[in-house]
């Protein structure tokens, strides 16, 4: 049954001065809130090493943020901002980044009412030579409700990944209320980022410096990675009174077969770094259900976890995915999810969550509430009264699951 949850029940006052506009000088200088057995306490982020169980499993999202924000200009002089969301042609990230002449993306377009049918040229106020030679152009070839399909074309034979590096800027969150700066190129990216595709960082991982990563490895913790490309939908506010009226965005993810086998053979505690890692891990059970009941994996719908009871164990579901991959000769699972995690959700894999502090009335705050058995307000009241910094560049928390 789809939960009937009022989004106003997940509101709190977030003063503007509590939003971290910039990162701290060092990644691990952040504060850390610990929640366990109903108790809340304050620590330094480097203390997280002490809280991760020995010989457990820790999961990181190794997606990489791309400089997906581009500024164009019409012949009339009007400025048009184009924000690349996901590939259309080719539809795979590795293929589209390798294209050397043209490609198509689903995009959010600022000032779209002023863009008719003309081809735009990149805004290059400083007349940078490498930008001029590229002659990057944009043409709108389709229009949906909230997005447009844009074809980019350019000269010089550079791969599109390099085009974005030269012409694009880091798409920092809109709630920072500033333009991206040089510091964001490094700090709005985790140290372990590997696969290009996100338009927003998995920010829980921004706190980890090599010191903490090495110390966690030293405790015999298996540090695994998944890859979920974070979409701009993560910033979309919930506009409906009831969460049942909110439409979740699709995000593609990849999980290695070797990791699935590790999960099947192990009963060790599992720590997810970030809500994107949780969404990936918890989607796996339902992918397994698809494999059992339909013979193959497919995208997970928003409300699938709430539609009925499922008579399968987690290991049975994961095993069904592995069986499918074996039969298909594949070494990794690649699928998409629109899963929404709200109070009443049954967690099947994640025991511990490392995450930042999220916006009021957001789906991410609902996820936190589900994880801590509805105790989110105690956590957020503590954070607000103890000087914690909020949102993407803010402080961190480690939460131990209730139930």
């Amino acid at each position: 049954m789809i939960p009937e949850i009022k989004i106003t029940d997940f509101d709190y006052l977030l003063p503007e001065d509590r939003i971290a506009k910039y990162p701290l000088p060092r990644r691990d200088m952040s504060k850390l809130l610990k929640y366990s057995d109903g108790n809340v306490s304050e620590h330094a982020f480097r203390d997280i090493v002490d809280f991760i169980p020995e010989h457990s499993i820790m999961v990181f999202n190794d997606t990489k943020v791309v400089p997906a924000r581009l500024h164009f200009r019409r012949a009339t002089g009007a400025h048009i901002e184009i924000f690349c969301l996901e590939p259309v042609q080719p539809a795979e990230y590795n293929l589209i980044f390798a294209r050397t002449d043209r490609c198509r993306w689903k995009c959010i377009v600022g000032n779209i009412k002023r863009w008719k049918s003309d081809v735009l040229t990149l805004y290059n106020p400083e007349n940078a030579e490498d930008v001029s030679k590229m002659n990057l152009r944009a043409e709108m070839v389709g229009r949906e409700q909230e997005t447009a399909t844009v074809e980019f074309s350019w000269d010089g034979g550079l791969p599109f990944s390099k085009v974005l590096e030269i012409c694009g800027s880091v798409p920092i969150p809109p709630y920072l209320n500033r333009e991206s700066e040089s510091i964001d190129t490094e700090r709005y990216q985790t140290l372990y980022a590997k696969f290009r595709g996100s338009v927003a960082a998995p920010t829980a991982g921004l706190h980890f410096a090599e010191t903490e990563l090495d110390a966690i490895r030293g405790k015999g913790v298996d540090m695994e990675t998944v890859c979920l490309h974070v979409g701009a939908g993560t910033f979309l506010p919930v506009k409906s009174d009831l969460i049942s009226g909110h439409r979740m965005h699709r995000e593609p993810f990849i999980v290695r077969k070797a990791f699935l086998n590790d999960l099947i053979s192990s009963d060790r505690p599992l720590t997810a770094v970030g809500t994107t890692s949780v969404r990936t891990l918890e989607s796996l059970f339902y992918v397994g259900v698809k494999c059992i009941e339909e013979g193959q994996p497919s995208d997970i719908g928003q409300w699938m976890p709430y539609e009925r009871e499922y008579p399968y164990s987690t290991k049975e579901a994961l095993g069904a995915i592995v069986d499918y991959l074996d039969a298909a000769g594949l070494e990794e699972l690649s699928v998409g999810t629109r899963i929404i995690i709200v109070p009443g959700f049954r967690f099947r894999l994640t025991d511990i969550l490392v995450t930042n502090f999220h916006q009021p009335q957001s789906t991410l705050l609902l996820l936190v509430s589900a994880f801590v058995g509805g105790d989110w307000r105690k956590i957020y009241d503590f954070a607000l009264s103890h000087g914690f910094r909020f949102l993407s560049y803010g402080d961190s928390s480690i939460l131990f699951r209730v139930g």
Side-chain angles (χ1 to χ4, degrees):
M1 180 180 296
I2 296 177
E4 293 294 341
I5 295 172
K6 293 173 61 177
I7 193 62
T8 52
D9 290 341
F10 296 85
D11 195 16
Y12 69 93
L13 179 62
L14 177 58
E16 183 71 19
D17 62 1
R18 302 306 295 276
I19 299 174
K21 302 289 187 180
Y22 291 91
L24 294 171
R26 293 201 322 269
R27 290 179 182 270
D28 57 0
M29 285 179 68
S30 298
K31 298 205 292 185
L32 178 72
L33 179 149
K34 180 188 177 188
Y35 173 86
S36 179
D37 296 324
N39 299 311
V40 185
S41 54
E42 178 181 336
H43 307 268
F45 183 78
R46 61 180 177 273
D47 296 333
I48 196 169
V49 178
D50 298 329
F51 303 141
I52 303 299
E54 291 186 353
H55 306 293
S56 60
I57 300 173
M58 199 167 186
V59 180
F60 299 80
N61 183 3
D62 61 4
T63 187
K64 189 172 186 177
V65 180
V66 296
R69 179 173 279 125
L70 298 159
H71 295 272
F72 286 84
R73 185 180 61 182
R74 292 188 66 198
T76 61
H79 289 261
I80 308 291
E81 181 180 274
I82 300 179
F83 188 0
C84 297
L85 288 181
E86 61 182 73
V88 173
Q89 187 179 346
E92 295 184 19
Y93 284 92
N94 60 328
L95 296 179
I96 204 164
F97 286 128
R99 290 299 290 267
T100 57
D101 55 355
R102 64 182 61 241
C103 59
R104 293 185 178 187
W105 284 76
K106 178 185 287 188
C107 302
I108 294 175
V109 179
N111 218 4
I112 193 169
K113 292 181 180 179
R114 302 186 67 179
W115 187 9
K116 307 303 181 184
S117 58
D118 51 328
V119 177
L120 307 181
T121 57
L122 190 73
Y123 182 54
N124 183 19
E126 299 178 359
N127 292 314
E129 185 177 355
D130 54 350
V131 175
S132 297
K133 286 182 178 179
M134 199 177 307
N135 189 26
L136 180 62
R137 305 168 300 276
E139 180 180 4
M140 184 160 50
V141 296
R143 177 89 180 265
E144 294 79 38
Q145 288 184 339
E146 300 175 347
T147 61
T149 300
V150 177
E151 179 168 287
F152 298 101
S153 56
W154 61 97
D155 303 331
L158 290 175
F160 192 64
S161 58
K162 189 65 175 179
V163 172
L164 287 179
E165 286 180 20
I166 295 172
C167 302
S169 59
V170 176
I172 58 174
Y175 48 65
L176 295 185
N177 292 320
R178 64 174 177 84
E179 292 295 318
S180 60
E181 300 176 24
S182 57
I183 191 173
D184 300 308
T185 303
E186 175 194 357
R187 295 296 300 277
Y188 196 62
Q189 197 84 265
T190 63
L191 288 182
Y192 46 82
K194 187 174 182 181
F195 298 103
R196 294 177 297 236
S198 281
V199 296
T203 54
L206 298 181
H207 305 279
F208 286 89
E210 291 294 353
T211 302
E212 287 74 38
L213 295 173
D214 288 343
I216 291 168
R217 291 188 192 97
K219 296 184 70 171
V221 174
D222 283 348
M223 301 176 72
E224 299 280 358
T225 58
V226 295
C227 184
L228 180 141
H229 291 316
V230 189
T234 191
F235 300 126
L236 290 178
V238 178
K239 296 181 179 179
S240 57
D241 293 335
L242 297 176
I243 195 61
S244 57
H246 181 71
R247 184 174 182 272
M248 286 292 286
H249 54 290
R250 178 186 184 274
E251 290 174 324
F253 69 85
I254 296 173
V255 177
R256 294 178 302 108
K257 184 175 72 173
F259 177 40
L260 292 170
N261 279 320
D262 287 344
L263 291 174
I264 293 169
S265 62
S266 171
D267 290 313
R268 291 174 290 166
L270 194 154
T271 301
V273 178
T275 56
T276 60
S277 295
V278 174
R279 279 168 53 80
T280 302
L281 291 167
E282 298 301 328
S283 293
L284 288 175
F285 173 81
Y286 300 98
V287 175
V289 170
K290 296 260 192 177
C291 290
I292 293 170
E293 297 183 350
E294 301 174 8
Q296 62 183 6
S298 60
D299 283 4
I300 303 305
Q302 177 170 337
W303 299 111
M304 185 177 174
Y306 311 91
E307 291 172 349
R308 59 185 171 93
E309 292 292 328
Y310 296 94
Y312 317 109
S313 70
T314 301
K315 291 185 184 294
E316 285 175 325
L318 298 179
I321 301 174
V322 171
D323 289 344
Y324 168 81
L325 295 176
D326 284 340
L330 299 173
E331 292 302 316
E332 60 186 25
L333 168 72
S334 180
V335 72
T337 185
R338 285 188 169 86
I339 194 173
I340 185 169
I341 297 177
V342 301
F345 182 85
R346 178 183 173 187
F347 290 89
R348 298 175 185 269
L349 286 100
T350 314
D351 300 299
I352 304 168
L353 169 61
V354 178
T355 190
N356 286 16
F357 297 95
H358 304 292
Q359 289 179 289
Q361 298 192 34
S362 64
T363 58
L364 300 182
L365 185 55
L366 287 166
L367 185 154
V368 168
S369 178
F371 197 78
V372 298
D375 222 3
W376 72 271
R377 197 172 290 278
K378 175 191 289 188
I379 294 167
Y380 276 63
D381 284 348
F382 184 96
L384 286 165
S385 64
H386 285 73
F388 279 74
R389 301 157 65 249
F390 278 60
L391 307 185
S392 293
Y393 278 141
D395 292 316
S396 183
S397 67
I398 182 167
L399 312 175
F400 290 76
R401 180 165 58 86
V402 173

